Amino acid sequence: EAQVTQNPRYLITVTGKKLTVTCSQNMNHEYMSWYRQDPGLGLRQIYYSMNVEVTDKGDVPEGYKVSRKEKRNFPLILESPSPNQTSLYFCASSLRTGFEAFFGQGTRLTVV
Amino acid sequence: KQEVTQIPAALSVPEGENLVLNCSFTDSAIYNLQWFRQDPGKGLTSLLLIQSSQREQTSGRLNASLDKSSGRSTLYIAASQPGDSATYLCAVYNYGQNFVFGPGTRLSVLP
C-alpha cells in the first residue's frame, strides 16, 4: 500500500531535549516536505527536499533541521525544542514538486 | 505572495443536501490546485487535483471546478452523507514555489 509513515504519532517532551520525528514514503517520490498545523494559522511549510541531499527552507524553518540521505526518508530534527514548537506536524511527499501530495498521519508534539 | 482563503469557515447541513465549498486565491498564475479532506486526528487525504489547464475534475460525488481568471475554485459535494463530515482544505501551487494552503472549511453533515 502506497503510504507516508510518520513516527511517533504522539510525543510529549521537555524543553531543550533533542528529538527526531521520522518520515518514510514507499512511492519512490522525489519531493518531500514537512508542515506544521496550528489553530488559526493553518498549514505552514517548515522544510522541503527536492531529492536526495537537496533540502531547502520553507516558511517557518527556525528551530528545525532536516536531512535527506535516502530517497525514502526525511526526518525532522528539533535540536532544542521550545514550547512554541508545540504543534501538529505532517510529512508529505509527491512524485515531484507541484504533483499530487500524499500526507502522513501526523505527529502531535507537546513541549513542556 | 500567494494567499488562499476559504468560505465558509464552517458549514452544517442535513444529510442528502448538495453543497458547495469555496476557495479563493490572489495570484492567478497557478500551476495546479488540490483539494484535501482532513479528519480529526488524522492526516490529509487528497481528493482532487486540477491542473491549470483544466476547468474541472470529478471523482464520485465530488466535483471541483477552477476559474483561474477570477482566482476561484469550488468543491461541489452531491447528496452529502454523515461520513463526509471533515475539514476540507484547498492548496494552490505556483510553479517554482510551494503549496499554499487555505484555512479550511469544517463540514458537519447531520443524519
Side-chain angles (χ1 to χ4, degrees):
Chain A
E1 179 189 355
Q3 59 186 6
V4 179
T5 304
Q6 293 178 230
N7 280 296
R9 292 288 313 279
Y10 303 92
L11 179 60
I12 301 175
T13 190
V14 296
T15 299
K17 185 177 182 181
K18 181 180 178 179
L19 66 92
T20 299
V21 184
T22 64
C23 173
S24 181
Q25 51 92 5
N26 63 1
M27 295 169 278
N28 202 35
H29 285 171
E30 291 183 356
Y31 186 86
M32 297 184 74
S33 59
W34 277 101
Y35 294 86
R36 60 179 289 174
Q37 187 177 36
D38 302 287
L41 297 175
L43 274 153
R44 295 177 293 168
Q45 192 178 57
I46 304 170
Y47 267 95
Y48 65 94
S49 170
M50 305 278 277
N51 213 325
V52 175
E53 302 290 5
V54 181
T55 63
D56 208 347
K57 297 176 181 179
D59 297 320
V60 288
E62 294 77 21
Y64 305 94
K65 285 177 56 178
V66 293
S67 68
R68 186 93 181 271
K69 293 182 169 52
E70 306 166 281
K71 199 170 189 179
R72 65 183 293 127
N73 296 322
F74 190 45
L76 179 70
I77 303 158
L78 285 72
E79 294 267 358
S80 183
S82 62
N84 64 13
Q85 293 178 297
T86 292
S87 186
L88 179 58
Y89 291 86
F90 289 104
C91 178
S93 76
S94 58
L95 184 62
R96 292 184 188 85
T97 181
F99 281 57
E100 184 180 12
F102 296 84
F103 279 73
Q105 292 290 76
T107 295
R108 185 166 294 281
L109 172 65
T110 302
V111 183
V112 298
Chain B
K1 183 182 176 183
Q2 180 72 273
E3 292 182 5
V4 181
T5 56
Q6 291 185 245
I7 293 173
L11 181 63
S12 185
V13 301
E15 181 177 5
E17 274 204 7
N18 302 324
L19 56 98
V20 174
L21 308 181
N22 297 292
C23 172
S24 297
F25 45 93
T26 55
D27 183 351
S28 62
I30 67 169
Y31 188 74
N32 61 43
L33 182 147
Q34 193 167 358
W35 281 94
F36 294 88
R37 162 188 179 136
Q38 184 176 19
D39 294 282
K42 295 189 177 181
L44 281 68
T45 301
S46 176
L47 297 174
L48 291 162
L49 178 84
I50 311 178
Q51 300 292 349
S52 62
S53 58
Q54 297 175 313
R55 284 283 188 172
E56 63 180 79
Q57 279 278 22
T58 298
S59 175
R61 294 182 293 108
L62 305 179
N63 176 277
S65 67
L66 175 64
D67 184 344
K68 276 182 55 177
S69 61
S70 66
R72 295 181 60 183
S73 176
T74 61
L75 180 66
Y76 175 83
I77 302 177
S80 58
Q81 303 170 357
D84 294 330
S85 298
T87 296
Y88 290 81
L89 298 129
C90 69
V92 173
Y93 177 72
N94 290 74
Y95 190 77
Q97 301 178 30
N98 299 307
F99 271 111
V100 177
F101 284 81
T105 293
R106 190 170 65 252
L107 172 65
S108 296
V109 181
L110 307 174

